């Protein structure tokens, strides 16, 4: 039985990973802090050509430095795109600093230029830990930061209480989270204090996905003919005389409506298919065993 349970959990993990799918907004960085002696001697690569400007972390324009942690470069320090980073930066990659704006530095890779929080060039960034992804829930509304230093805040990008996040990195008392918006994954590191989150519990999740064949109603119980995009967020619980207990939900673009409570899947990172598999397995042990046996037969053949 334990072997069967282990295999089942492995299958669910694979399905959930494949289904992992963020908030598109405009931001502006702020500059309010000073840090000195943050770059290790082994990080800086000699390339002195002229007198240059110096950032708060001691980075200089036209000098070359090594990045101390993985990060995605953004198009503009004042704008975050859900489309993803301009290019991915890996720990140990070296870049010449092209420009400095607030706590961001501009770098170039394969003729593409992008902006990175300068924290990622500091020796502290080397202590960022890559987590095995796991879900948590926002316990109270919290602002998002581009680096785990409580300085580079992303204005207009706060996470609501009840939102489900996926933890991917950690640094001291901070965690980097992913969120789902527009049915896709947000394309930047988003740091929040871990104290603002709570352990994932479906009963506390206000964000999730619509079940297959879900029907969206208006406040009078009439079916709405609209194109909805996951994920959806629960605004309240109420009751419609013709329908019964319902959730009032909101989705991308400000769409609002009502759904039967059974049509809400309390996790935006899980696929509808994997959710059905997990729920059916909870109710029917033979179903899970049957799936496992079929998979074993496929592997053996």
């Amino acid at each position: 039985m334990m072997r069967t349970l282990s295999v089942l959990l492995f299958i669910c993990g694979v399905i959930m990973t494949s289904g992992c799918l963020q908030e598109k907004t405009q931001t502006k960085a702020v500059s309010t802090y000073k840090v000195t002696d943050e770059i290790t001697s082994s990080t800086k690569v000699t390339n002195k050509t002229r007198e240059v400007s110096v950032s708060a972390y001691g980075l200089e324009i036209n000098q070359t430095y090594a990045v101390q942690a993985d990060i995605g470069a953004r198009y503009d320090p004042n704008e975050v795109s859900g489309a993803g980073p301009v290019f991915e930066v890996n720990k140990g990659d070296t870049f010449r600093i092209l420009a400095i704006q607030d706590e961001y530095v501009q770098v170039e890779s394969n003729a593409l230029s992008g902006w990175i929080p300068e924290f990622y060039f500091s020796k502290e960034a080397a202590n960022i830990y890559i987590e095995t992804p796991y879900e948590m829930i926002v316990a109270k509304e919290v602002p998002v930061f581009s680096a785990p230093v409580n300085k580079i805040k992303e204005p207009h990008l706060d996470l609501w209480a009840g939102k489900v996040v996926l933890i991917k990195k950690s640094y001291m008392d901070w965690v980097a989270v992913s969120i789902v918006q527009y049915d896709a994954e947000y394309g930047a590191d988003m740091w929040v204090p871990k104290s603002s989150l709570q352990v994932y519990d479906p009963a506390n999740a206000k964000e999730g996905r619509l079940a297959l064949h879900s029907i969206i109603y208006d406040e009078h119980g009439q079916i709405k003919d609209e194109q909805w995009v996951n994920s959806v967020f629960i605004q309240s619980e109420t009751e419609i005389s013709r329908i019964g207990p319902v959730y009032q939900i909101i989705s991308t673009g400000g769409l609002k409506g009502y759904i039967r409570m059974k049509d809400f899947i309390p996790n935006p990172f899980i696929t509808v298919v994997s959710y059905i598999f997990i729920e059916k397995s909870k109710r029917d042990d033979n179903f899970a065993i049957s799936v496992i046996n079929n998979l074993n037969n496929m592997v053996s053949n």
Side-chain angles (χ1 to χ4, degrees), residues 13 35 38 41 48-49 60 73 95 111 128 164 167 193 217 219 230 254 257:
V35 180
E38 298 293 346
S41 58
K48 296 182 179 179
T49 57
E60 302 177 1
F95 296 96
I128 291 177
V164 181
I167 309 301
Y217 301 94
E219 65 272 23
N230 284 307

Side-chain angles (χ1 to χ4, degrees), residues 22-30 78-80 141-145 152-160 179 181 186 190:
Q22 294 212 86
E23 283 176 50
K24 191 175 183 180
T25 184
Q26 295 215 336
T27 64
K28 185 172 181 179
V30 290
N78 298 320
E79 183 176 350
V80 177
E141 186 170 337
V142 60
V144 170
F145 297 82
I152 316 177
K153 184 179 180 297
E154 302 283 13
H156 314 302
L157 186 53
D158 294 350
L159 303 183
W160 297 348
I179 62 174
Q181 186 76 357
Y186 183 81
M190 302 174 60

Side-chain angles (χ1 to χ4, degrees), residues 11-24:
I11 294 171
C12 292
V14 171
I15 296 174
M16 290 177 67
T17 301
S18 66
C20 284
L21 298 175
Q22 294 212 86
E23 283 176 50
K24 191 175 183 180

Side-chain angles (χ1 to χ4, degrees), residues 15 73 114 131-132 153 159 163 170 186 194 237 252 279 300:
I15 296 174
E131 298 276 358
T132 300
K153 184 179 180 297
L159 303 183
K163 189 171 185 65
S170 61
Y186 183 81
K194 192 171 184 178
E237 297 181 18
T252 302
E279 290 301 305
S300 62

